[in-house]
Amino acid sequence: MTAGSSGGSTVKQVSKVAETVSEAARRVPAFAARLTEADVDPAAIRDVDDLAAIPVQTKDDVLTRQRADPPFGGLLAADADVARVFQSPGPIYEPQLSGPDPWRWGPALRACGVTASDVLLNCFAYHLSPAGAMFDEAAQALGCTVLPGGVGNLDLQAQAISDLGVTAYVGLPSYLRSLIERFEQAELDPARWRLRTALVTGEPLPDDLRQALAAWVPTVLMAYGTAETGLLGYETSPGDGLVVPDDIVVQICDLDTGQPIDEGEGQIVVTALRAEYPLVRFGTGDLSAWRDVGGERRLAGVLGRVGAAVKVRGMFLHPRQVEAAMRGVSGVVSYRFLVDRIDHRDQLRCEVVPEPGTDANAVASAVQERIRSALRFTADITLVTELDESELITDQRTWE
């Protein structure tokens, strides 16, 4: 077994792989069918290296299965104990299995020094998407008091930081910067700012932004995960790569062959070690590479994306869902979405060509409302007279 193929497999991972695949093939017919289609005998999967015989499963594969056999595409065991169900862009439905900290974010919080004595402000969305509940579960497993802030209401959240003595934060790094700015603008007592640690994820954390946050919050660490799989990697110190937890298998795989690689960039491919919902060789669509940090293999972070989906403010925006949402808006000749980043904040703009003779302002309002309701984004609308042929979503951001 090569250390690089899965970041250095642990004894726990090796012992769980065979058990997970065998049990999943017995309990989940769709997974058994997937193995049959690939001509893979479940008994032949004995350790992490053997997983390479199973083709990578993409998000589009999961979406196709769910549409054919809603809600979970036959990928969930009939006797699985499901605590919550979430809807991610696609839409893809994700079950939250029972048990404490089911998405396994606890180690990332502990790496930040979060303990049961902390009051934690959770600034991830709680509505439909799983991020808010993911961190809520992890924080409660650690014994924290949780303030479910979600996204928005910056004034109220700044006041709560002052009134409640909030000491820990989870959310987007750009949102933490907005909170700091709002706290300053509100002229609240600086002595009431007690935030000492932050776990941030969902978007890049450039060095200058980390430094700006650290001026207010002494510990700011980055983590990485997905809506389907939960935690996949976390920092233990700034900039030293992401430690892969030992309760999940992470591989960096060649984009053409799907085989694990030791060097260079590839897709992050994940095997979750729970048979009730067998995400085995699941392709996240994110690109990364292995880094050697003191003899330990760590993820280099997210270095890009596979395919057409773009992550904006921590959520994916896919051309397919854009087309589905915009089809129902009358008075639109053509449109395109532009993503930019200003002062470390993602900005989404939609350029719209209205039909001649329509009320252009009414069309713009209808488009803005459709983006909000169907895509769960806010966007600035710009009316234009024409658009040349271009991609439906153009990412103009740079990360230097």
Side-chain angles (χ1 to χ4, degrees), residues 105-143:
W105 284 95
L109 289 176
R110 280 191 287 268
C112 286
V114 175
T115 69
S117 64
D118 281 297
V119 177
L120 182 142
L121 173 59
N122 182 3
C123 288
F124 278 112
Y126 278 76
H127 301 109
L128 289 178
S129 61
M134 282 184 176
F135 288 99
D136 198 296
E137 292 278 359
Q140 292 195 53
L142 268 60

Side-chain angles (χ1 to χ4, degrees), residues 240-382:
D240 276 349
L242 305 178
V243 175
V244 176
D246 66 0
D247 51 7
I248 197 160
V249 176
V250 174
Q251 299 170 310
I252 304 296
C253 294
D254 183 90
L255 296 181
D256 295 322
T257 67
Q259 293 300 296
I261 57 177
D262 294 326
E263 297 180 353
E265 291 185 17
Q267 180 177 197
I268 300 172
V269 175
V270 179
T271 297
L273 300 175
R274 292 193 70 167
E276 305 99 306
Y277 187 59
L279 286 172
V280 175
R281 293 268 288 163
F282 174 75
T284 64
D286 292 321
L287 298 175
S288 192
W290 293 118
R291 287 181 57 188
D292 190 311
V293 179
E296 179 184 13
R297 290 285 185 133
R298 298 187 177 187
L299 285 173
V302 177
L303 305 178
R305 283 288 301 166
V306 178
V310 176
K311 183 174 278 190
V312 185
R313 303 173 200 149
M315 291 180 58
F316 284 110
L317 186 65
H318 196 288
R320 179 183 56 248
Q321 66 180 127
V322 166
E323 289 176 333
M326 295 295 288
R327 271 199 297 268
V329 183
S330 61
V332 175
V333 174
S334 59
Y335 60 89
R336 69 175 175 184
F337 285 77
L338 302 173
V339 186
D340 209 340
R341 194 163 176 85
I342 301 172
D343 293 332
H344 299 297
R345 295 181 179 90
D346 287 345
Q347 306 291 326
L348 182 63
R349 179 162 57 94
C350 182
E351 295 182 336
V352 176
V353 178
E355 286 183 359
T358 60
D359 183 336
N361 290 329
V363 171
S365 296
V367 169
Q368 191 168 55
E369 172 57 24
R370 179 56 58 90
I371 293 170
R372 186 199 63 77
S373 62
L375 301 177
R376 286 184 270 164
F377 283 99
T378 57
D380 295 326
I381 310 300
T382 303

Side-chain angles (χ1 to χ4, degrees), residues 32 38 50 61 70 81-82 92 96 138 153 184 186 195 270 337 342 366 380:
D50 294 332
D61 293 336
D81 188 2
V82 177
I92 293 177
Q96 176 187 309
N153 300 313
E184 286 185 294
L195 256 173
V270 179
F337 285 77
I342 301 172
D380 295 326

Side-chain angles (χ1 to χ4, degrees), residues 223-245:
Y224 162 66
T226 74
E228 299 84 5
T229 61
L231 175 67
L232 298 178
Y234 60 95
E235 287 184 327
T236 54
S237 59
D240 276 349
L242 305 178
V243 175
V244 176

Side-chain angles (χ1 to χ4, degrees), residues 51-84:
L51 288 171
I54 303 174
V56 174
Q57 183 180 52
T58 67
K59 289 191 178 188
D60 283 344
D61 293 336
V62 173
L63 179 60
T64 298
R65 286 185 179 275
Q66 289 193 356
R67 285 179 171 173
D69 183 15
F72 300 115
L75 296 172
L76 180 71
D79 59 350
D81 188 2
V82 177
R84 293 187 177 97

